[in-house]
Amino acid sequence: MNSPSCVSVDRPDWDIFCAVVDNYGDIGVCWRLARQLSAELGMSVRLWVDDLASFARLCPSLAPSLDAQSIEGIEVRRWDAAALPAVIPAKRVIEAFACNLPEGFVQAMAACQPAPVWINLEYLSAEDWVGGCHGLPSPHPSLPLRKHFFFPGFRDNTGGVLGEADVSARREAQLADPAAGWAALGLTPPLAGELTVSLFCYGGERVDAWLDALLAHGEPVRVLVPDGRGAAEAAHWCGQWLAPGWQGQRGAVRVQGLPFVEQREYDRLLWLCDLNLVRGEDSFVRAQWAARPFVWHIYPQDDCAHLDKLRAFLALYAAELPAASAAALTDFWLAWNHGVGIEPAWRALLAERAALAEHARRWAAQLAQRDTLAVNLARFCETLL
């Protein structure tokens, strides 16, 4: 890529670079952030994505064959490191989750006067050390550029949590007419007295163990399983093949597969369910905005560092819960992530449903009182321009 002059009336406010990983969390976060910067803050955004086919599953209106297109006011560009077009870098450049910017683009940034604000957007964490690293600069070893690390988080000394300004209002409007919400998802409302749970996880034997626990408990339950890892285990548990529209029942447990849905429809599903089992980062945050009890399957790491992140969030989230509720929540989250001890932990969790539901509503209300990640990010960059 050549380095063009940095003087251009078409220079966007933001460039966001995103490398899609196998579980869609990175592009999920970047797509929500891009839309919020555009729709709420009125800024122009150019989003670079290296895997448009995977992105299209989250955004069905996107055409994976096109190198450049406009979706909801966002300029979406194909990120091909070998053939990146010569463009003027934006005033603010985000490399999401240490995805490493193309060298030619970095050279073009260095040619700009003033240089763009360069942000490494990190993963969300509740760990104590995050506040001390949030906002720290890192000079480039050979170019007149400085990268700043921006850490999302739950405390005032971090970058906040991603969420739209109207997410709470949209959720409450939907809950005022749940039948319409179920119809929009192509589903019937739950039966009288039936617990409705969404299941989105990384799969494994935990799925069979949990469904066995539901069966043993005997309470009517409907389990809704979006397409992805974990769906095959759920289908096979109820004697079905993994195929479009699959569903089955054992005892009082109904299990139904759902197609992979775009983000707004997934939000709707979380709002309507009584309890949500989620994974990764994007659905983890959306479950919190849903104001429903939830269970987090954190992305596993070989060195078990993910368990430190899990415990750090649990300590923060459960701090205001009654002791029995906090213990039940912690025990099931750990059982779910380890894949062992699920049945007794599930029984204990169900016994605390009312307290957990009330706490989830309070937590979501607290999130809504704080500035969101997009607002904090924009404010941080303004101090550096």
Side-chain angles (χ1 to χ4, degrees), residues 152-189:
F154 302 95
R155 297 182 174 89
D156 291 338
N157 59 352
T158 67
V161 175
L162 190 62
E164 304 81 23
D166 65 347
V167 61
S168 299
R170 289 187 292 112
R171 180 192 67 226
E172 295 308 305
Q174 178 63 92
L175 294 179
D177 188 6
W182 289 118
L185 291 169
L187 298 168
T188 58

mmCIF file of all heavy atoms in Angstrom, residues 152-189:
data_model
loop_
_atom_site.group_PDB
_atom_site.id
_atom_site.type_symbol
_atom_site.label_atom_id
_atom_site.label_comp_id
_atom_site.label_asym_id
_atom_site.label_seq_id
_atom_site.Cartn_x
_atom_site.Cartn_y
_atom_site.Cartn_z
ATOM 1 N N PRO A 152 -12.037 -1.801 28.098
ATOM 2 C CA PRO A 152 -13.407 -1.807 28.614
ATOM 3 C C PRO A 152 -13.418 -2.376 30.029
ATOM 4 O O PRO A 152 -12.533 -3.148 30.415
ATOM 5 C CB PRO A 152 -14.145 -2.746 27.645
ATOM 6 C CG PRO A 152 -13.288 -2.793 26.411
ATOM 7 C CD PRO A 152 -11.875 -2.631 26.901
ATOM 8 N N GLY A 153 -14.399 -1.984 30.810
ATOM 9 C CA GLY A 153 -14.467 -2.481 32.182
ATOM 10 C C GLY A 153 -15.685 -1.975 32.909
ATOM 11 O O GLY A 153 -16.515 -1.247 32.348
ATOM 12 N N PHE A 154 -15.778 -2.324 34.170
ATOM 13 C CA PHE A 154 -16.968 -2.052 34.964
ATOM 14 C C PHE A 154 -16.739 -1.004 36.041
ATOM 15 O O PHE A 154 -17.664 -0.677 36.779
ATOM 16 C CB PHE A 154 -17.456 -3.355 35.614
ATOM 17 C CG PHE A 154 -17.774 -4.435 34.615
ATOM 18 C CD1 PHE A 154 -16.830 -5.393 34.277
ATOM 19 C CD2 PHE A 154 -19.007 -4.483 34.000
ATOM 20 C CE1 PHE A 154 -17.117 -6.382 33.350
ATOM 21 C CE2 PHE A 154 -19.315 -5.467 33.072
ATOM 22 C CZ PHE A 154 -18.362 -6.419 32.750
ATOM 23 N N ARG A 155 -15.543 -0.484 36.140
ATOM 24 C CA ARG A 155 -15.231 0.524 37.159
ATOM 25 C C ARG A 155 -14.947 1.867 36.493
ATOM 26 O O ARG A 155 -14.703 1.953 35.294
ATOM 27 C CB ARG A 155 -14.030 0.072 37.991
ATOM 28 C CG ARG A 155 -14.279 -1.216 38.790
ATOM 29 C CD ARG A 155 -13.066 -1.569 39.631
ATOM 30 N NE ARG A 155 -13.307 -2.718 40.507
ATOM 31 C CZ ARG A 155 -13.097 -3.978 40.150
ATOM 32 N NH1 ARG A 155 -12.651 -4.259 38.920
ATOM 33 N NH2 ARG A 155 -13.344 -4.961 41.005
ATOM 34 N N ASP A 156 -14.934 2.914 37.305
ATOM 35 C CA ASP A 156 -14.767 4.264 36.770
ATOM 36 C C ASP A 156 -13.397 4.494 36.138
ATOM 37 O O ASP A 156 -13.244 5.416 35.330
ATOM 38 C CB ASP A 156 -14.992 5.296 37.889
ATOM 39 C CG ASP A 156 -16.440 5.351 38.350
ATOM 40 O OD1 ASP A 156 -17.319 4.939 37.574
ATOM 41 O OD2 ASP A 156 -16.683 5.801 39.488
ATOM 42 N N ASN A 157 -12.399 3.705 36.514
ATOM 43 C CA ASN A 157 -11.056 3.901 35.956
ATOM 44 C C ASN A 157 -10.815 3.041 34.724
ATOM 45 O O ASN A 157 -9.672 2.792 34.341
ATOM 46 C CB ASN A 157 -9.987 3.610 37.010
ATOM 47 C CG ASN A 157 -10.063 2.182 37.550
ATOM 48 O OD1 ASN A 157 -10.996 1.430 37.250
ATOM 49 N ND2 ASN A 157 -9.072 1.807 38.346
ATOM 50 N N THR A 158 -11.895 2.600 34.067
ATOM 51 C CA THR A 158 -11.795 1.830 32.824
ATOM 52 C C THR A 158 -12.649 2.494 31.746
ATOM 53 O O THR A 158 -13.257 3.549 31.973
ATOM 54 C CB THR A 158 -12.277 0.382 33.030
ATOM 55 O OG1 THR A 158 -13.694 0.377 33.291
ATOM 56 C CG2 THR A 158 -11.550 -0.267 34.199
ATOM 57 N N GLY A 159 -12.715 1.859 30.586
ATOM 58 C CA GLY A 159 -13.416 2.449 29.452
ATOM 59 C C GLY A 159 -14.904 2.202 29.397
ATOM 60 O O GLY A 159 -15.574 2.677 28.477
ATOM 61 N N GLY A 160 -15.460 1.461 30.359
ATOM 62 C CA GLY A 160 -16.900 1.239 30.355
ATOM 63 C C GLY A 160 -17.312 0.022 29.541
ATOM 64 O O GLY A 160 -16.485 -0.746 29.054
ATOM 65 N N VAL A 161 -18.608 -0.118 29.371
ATOM 66 C CA VAL A 161 -19.215 -1.265 28.699
ATOM 67 C C VAL A 161 -19.971 -0.790 27.467
ATOM 68 O O VAL A 161 -20.628 0.251 27.490
ATOM 69 C CB VAL A 161 -20.170 -2.016 29.656
ATOM 70 C CG1 VAL A 161 -20.911 -3.135 28.934
ATOM 71 C CG2 VAL A 161 -19.391 -2.582 30.838
ATOM 72 N N LEU A 162 -19.880 -1.549 26.398
ATOM 73 C CA LEU A 162 -20.544 -1.189 25.148
ATOM 74 C C LEU A 162 -22.052 -1.383 25.268
ATOM 75 O O LEU A 162 -22.513 -2.436 25.703
ATOM 76 C CB LEU A 162 -19.995 -2.058 24.014
ATOM 77 C CG LEU A 162 -20.393 -1.683 22.586
ATOM 78 C CD1 LEU A 162 -19.867 -0.295 22.248
ATOM 79 C CD2 LEU A 162 -19.833 -2.708 21.602
ATOM 80 N N GLY A 163 -22.804 -0.369 24.901
ATOM 81 C CA GLY A 163 -24.262 -0.467 24.934
ATOM 82 C C GLY A 163 -24.898 0.799 24.388
ATOM 83 O O GLY A 163 -24.420 1.906 24.641
ATOM 84 N N GLU A 164 -25.973 0.650 23.642
ATOM 85 C CA GLU A 164 -26.640 1.787 23.027
ATOM 86 C C GLU A 164 -27.377 2.621 24.078
ATOM 87 O O GLU A 164 -27.810 2.113 25.107
ATOM 88 C CB GLU A 164 -27.641 1.314 21.962
ATOM 89 C CG GLU A 164 -27.042 0.433 20.891
ATOM 90 C CD GLU A 164 -26.886 -1.007 21.338
ATOM 91 O OE1 GLU A 164 -27.613 -1.429 22.263
ATOM 92 O OE2 GLU A 164 -26.027 -1.707 20.772
ATOM 93 N N ALA A 165 -27.563 3.882 23.779
ATOM 94 C CA ALA A 165 -28.231 4.776 24.719
ATOM 95 C C ALA A 165 -29.674 4.366 24.965
ATOM 96 O O ALA A 165 -30.214 4.604 26.050
ATOM 97 C CB ALA A 165 -28.171 6.213 24.195
ATOM 98 N N ASP A 166 -30.308 3.736 23.985
ATOM 99 C CA ASP A 166 -31.728 3.401 24.117
ATOM 100 C C ASP A 166 -31.971 1.922 24.391
ATOM 101 O O ASP A 166 -33.107 1.456 24.282
ATOM 102 C CB ASP A 166 -32.487 3.809 22.852
ATOM 103 C CG ASP A 166 -32.055 3.028 21.609
ATOM 104 O OD1 ASP A 166 -30.999 2.341 21.664
ATOM 105 O OD2 ASP A 166 -32.767 3.089 20.596
ATOM 106 N N VAL A 167 -30.923 1.162 24.750
ATOM 107 C CA VAL A 167 -31.097 -0.279 24.883
ATOM 108 C C VAL A 167 -32.101 -0.626 25.979
ATOM 109 O O VAL A 167 -32.937 -1.527 25.812
ATOM 110 C CB VAL A 167 -29.741 -0.988 25.116
ATOM 111 C CG1 VAL A 167 -29.051 -0.527 26.383
ATOM 112 C CG2 VAL A 167 -29.918 -2.500 25.126
ATOM 113 N N SER A 168 -32.079 0.080 27.093
ATOM 114 C CA SER A 168 -33.015 -0.208 28.184
ATOM 115 C C SER A 168 -34.449 0.105 27.769
ATOM 116 O O SER A 168 -35.380 -0.661 28.077
ATOM 117 C CB SER A 168 -32.642 0.575 29.435
ATOM 118 O OG SER A 168 -31.354 0.225 29.895
ATOM 119 N N ALA A 169 -34.633 1.226 27.071
ATOM 120 C CA ALA A 169 -35.978 1.600 26.628
ATOM 121 C C ALA A 169 -36.525 0.594 25.618
ATOM 122 O O ALA A 169 -37.713 0.231 25.671
ATOM 123 C CB ALA A 169 -35.959 3.006 26.029
ATOM 124 N N ARG A 170 -35.672 0.138 24.701
ATOM 125 C CA ARG A 170 -36.119 -0.860 23.714
ATOM 126 C C ARG A 170 -36.480 -2.176 24.396
ATOM 127 O O ARG A 170 -37.457 -2.840 24.031
ATOM 128 C CB ARG A 170 -35.045 -1.074 22.647
ATOM 129 C CG ARG A 170 -34.892 0.098 21.704
ATOM 130 C CD ARG A 170 -33.950 -0.208 20.548
ATOM 131 N NE ARG A 170 -32.569 -0.367 20.974
ATOM 132 C CZ ARG A 170 -31.899 -1.503 20.955
ATOM 133 N NH1 ARG A 170 -32.493 -2.624 20.565
ATOM 134 N NH2 ARG A 170 -30.637 -1.537 21.343
ATOM 135 N N ARG A 171 -35.697 -2.547 25.388
ATOM 136 C CA ARG A 171 -35.982 -3.787 26.110
ATOM 137 C C ARG A 171 -37.331 -3.694 26.816
ATOM 138 O O ARG A 171 -38.164 -4.615 26.729
ATOM 139 C CB ARG A 171 -34.873 -4.044 27.127
ATOM 140 C CG ARG A 171 -35.055 -5.308 27.952
ATOM 141 C CD ARG A 171 -34.076 -5.325 29.124
ATOM 142 N NE ARG A 171 -34.371 -4.283 30.090
ATOM 143 C CZ ARG A 171 -33.462 -3.478 30.630
ATOM 144 N NH1 ARG A 171 -32.192 -3.557 30.309
ATOM 145 N NH2 ARG A 171 -33.838 -2.552 31.518
ATOM 146 N N GLU A 172 -37.572 -2.605 27.510
ATOM 147 C CA GLU A 172 -38.814 -2.473 28.253
ATOM 148 C C GLU A 172 -40.017 -2.389 27.327
ATOM 149 O O GLU A 172 -41.099 -2.902 27.651
ATOM 150 C CB GLU A 172 -38.753 -1.246 29.168
ATOM 151 C CG GLU A 172 -37.703 -1.368 30.271
ATOM 152 C CD GLU A 172 -37.850 -2.665 31.052
ATOM 153 O OE1 GLU A 172 -38.947 -2.934 31.573
ATOM 154 O OE2 GLU A 172 -36.843 -3.420 31.138
ATOM 155 N N ALA A 173 -39.856 -1.752 26.169
ATOM 156 C CA ALA A 173 -40.948 -1.701 25.194
ATOM 157 C C ALA A 173 -41.286 -3.102 24.692
ATOM 158 O O ALA A 173 -42.455 -3.445 24.512
ATOM 159 C CB ALA A 173 -40.583 -0.782 24.030
ATOM 160 N N GLN A 174 -40.267 -3.917 24.485
ATOM 161 C CA GLN A 174 -40.505 -5.284 24.033
ATOM 162 C C GLN A 174 -41.191 -6.107 25.120
ATOM 163 O O GLN A 174 -42.118 -6.886 24.856
ATOM 164 C CB GLN A 174 -39.191 -5.945 23.632
ATOM 165 C CG GLN A 174 -39.330 -7.391 23.183
ATOM 166 C CD GLN A 174 -40.166 -7.522 21.936
ATOM 167 O OE1 GLN A 174 -39.660 -7.507 20.834
ATOM 168 N NE2 GLN A 174 -41.482 -7.640 22.088
ATOM 169 N N LEU A 175 -40.759 -5.948 26.349
ATOM 170 C CA LEU A 175 -41.333 -6.726 27.442
ATOM 171 C C LEU A 175 -42.772 -6.319 27.739
ATOM 172 O O LEU A 175 -43.525 -7.075 28.369
ATOM 173 C CB LEU A 175 -40.472 -6.589 28.691
ATOM 174 C CG LEU A 175 -39.071 -7.209 28.580
ATOM 175 C CD1 LEU A 175 -38.287 -6.990 29.858
ATOM 176 C CD2 LEU A 175 -39.160 -8.697 28.253
ATOM 177 N N ALA A 176 -43.170 -5.129 27.285
ATOM 178 C CA ALA A 176 -44.562 -4.725 27.440
ATOM 179 C C ALA A 176 -45.480 -5.501 26.504
ATOM 180 O O ALA A 176 -46.694 -5.554 26.726
ATOM 181 C CB ALA A 176 -44.702 -3.221 27.197
ATOM 182 N N ASP A 177 -44.914 -6.109 25.476
ATOM 183 C CA ASP A 177 -45.693 -6.903 24.519
ATOM 184 C C ASP A 177 -44.888 -8.143 24.131
ATOM 185 O O ASP A 177 -44.411 -8.273 23.005
ATOM 186 C CB ASP A 177 -46.014 -6.062 23.279
ATOM 187 C CG ASP A 177 -46.979 -6.760 22.325
ATOM 188 O OD1 ASP A 177 -47.485 -7.849 22.671
ATOM 189 O OD2 ASP A 177 -47.213 -6.215 21.226
ATOM 190 N N PRO A 178 -44.694 -9.062 25.082
ATOM 191 C CA PRO A 178 -43.844 -10.225 24.790
ATOM 192 C C PRO A 178 -44.362 -11.101 23.660
ATOM 193 O O PRO A 178 -43.563 -11.697 22.931
ATOM 194 C CB PRO A 178 -43.816 -10.984 26.119
ATOM 195 C CG PRO A 178 -45.006 -10.489 26.884
ATOM 196 C CD PRO A 178 -45.217 -9.083 26.449
ATOM 197 N N ALA A 179 -45.669 -11.191 23.490
ATOM 198 C CA ALA A 179 -46.209 -12.029 22.420
ATOM 199 C C ALA A 179 -45.714 -11.556 21.052
ATOM 200 O O ALA A 179 -45.383 -12.369 20.179
ATOM 201 C CB ALA A 179 -47.733 -12.036 22.465
ATOM 202 N N ALA A 180 -45.660 -10.235 20.886
ATOM 203 C CA ALA A 180 -45.153 -9.688 19.623
ATOM 204 C C ALA A 180 -43.677 -10.029 19.446
ATOM 205 O O ALA A 180 -43.218 -10.284 18.323
ATOM 206 C CB ALA A 180 -45.367 -8.182 19.583
ATOM 207 N N GLY A 181 -42.921 -10.023 20.551
ATOM 208 C CA GLY A 181 -41.511 -10.377 20.474
ATOM 209 C C GLY A 181 -41.305 -11.821 20.058
ATOM 210 O O GLY A 181 -40.471 -12.123 19.202
ATOM 211 N N TRP A 182 -42.069 -12.720 20.670
ATOM 212 C CA TRP A 182 -41.953 -14.133 20.281
ATOM 213 C C TRP A 182 -42.339 -14.323 18.819
ATOM 214 O O TRP A 182 -41.694 -15.091 18.091
ATOM 215 C CB TRP A 182 -42.820 -14.994 21.189
ATOM 216 C CG TRP A 182 -42.327 -15.138 22.588
ATOM 217 C CD1 TRP A 182 -42.944 -14.739 23.737
ATOM 218 C CD2 TRP A 182 -41.080 -15.721 22.995
ATOM 219 N NE1 TRP A 182 -42.175 -15.026 24.828
ATOM 220 C CE2 TRP A 182 -41.024 -15.634 24.405
ATOM 221 C CE3 TRP A 182 -40.017 -16.308 22.307
ATOM 222 C CZ2 TRP A 182 -39.937 -16.119 25.144
ATOM 223 C CZ3 TRP A 182 -38.929 -16.783 23.038
ATOM 224 C CH2 TRP A 182 -38.897 -16.681 24.434
ATOM 225 N N ALA A 183 -43.385 -13.617 18.383
ATOM 226 C CA ALA A 183 -43.806 -13.732 16.981
ATOM 227 C C ALA A 183 -42.722 -13.229 16.041
ATOM 228 O O ALA A 183 -42.481 -13.822 14.974
ATOM 229 C CB ALA A 183 -45.107 -12.953 16.768
ATOM 230 N N ALA A 184 -42.033 -12.139 16.426
ATOM 231 C CA ALA A 184 -40.959 -11.607 15.589
ATOM 232 C C ALA A 184 -39.819 -12.601 15.448
ATOM 233 O O ALA A 184 -39.120 -12.618 14.424
ATOM 234 C CB ALA A 184 -40.445 -10.293 16.178
ATOM 235 N N LEU A 185 -39.642 -13.443 16.455
ATOM 236 C CA LEU A 185 -38.606 -14.482 16.405
ATOM 237 C C LEU A 185 -39.094 -15.754 15.723
ATOM 238 O O LEU A 185 -38.334 -16.717 15.591
ATOM 239 C CB LEU A 185 -38.136 -14.814 17.820
ATOM 240 C CG LEU A 185 -37.328 -13.739 18.548
ATOM 241 C CD1 LEU A 185 -37.166 -14.097 20.024
ATOM 242 C CD2 LEU A 185 -35.956 -13.554 17.895
ATOM 243 N N GLY A 186 -40.357 -15.762 15.316
ATOM 244 C CA GLY A 186 -40.926 -16.953 14.709
ATOM 245 C C GLY A 186 -41.231 -18.040 15.711
ATOM 246 O O GLY A 186 -41.260 -19.228 15.348
ATOM 247 N N LEU A 187 -41.497 -17.671 16.960
ATOM 248 C CA LEU A 187 -41.718 -18.627 18.036
ATOM 249 C C LEU A 187 -43.044 -18.344 18.729
ATOM 250 O O LEU A 187 -43.541 -17.216 18.725
ATOM 251 C CB LEU A 187 -40.587 -18.549 19.071
ATOM 252 C CG LEU A 187 -39.181 -18.872 18.578
ATOM 253 C CD1 LEU A 187 -38.151 -18.469 19.620
ATOM 254 C CD2 LEU A 187 -39.057 -20.352 18.243
ATOM 255 N N THR A 188 -43.607 -19.367 19.345
ATOM 256 C CA THR A 188 -44.801 -19.205 20.156
ATOM 257 C C THR A 188 -44.390 -18.788 21.563
ATOM 258 O O THR A 188 -43.277 -19.080 22.012
ATOM 259 C CB THR A 188 -45.599 -20.509 20.218
ATOM 260 O OG1 THR A 188 -44.756 -21.545 20.757
ATOM 261 C CG2 THR A 188 -46.081 -20.902 18.832
ATOM 262 N N PRO A 189 -45.260 -18.113 22.288
ATOM 263 C CA PRO A 189 -44.941 -17.786 23.686
ATOM 264 C C PRO A 189 -44.782 -19.056 24.511
ATOM 265 O O PRO A 189 -45.266 -20.129 24.132
ATOM 266 C CB PRO A 189 -46.163 -16.978 24.139
ATOM 267 C CG PRO A 189 -46.792 -16.472 22.880
ATOM 268 C CD PRO A 189 -46.532 -17.530 21.851
#
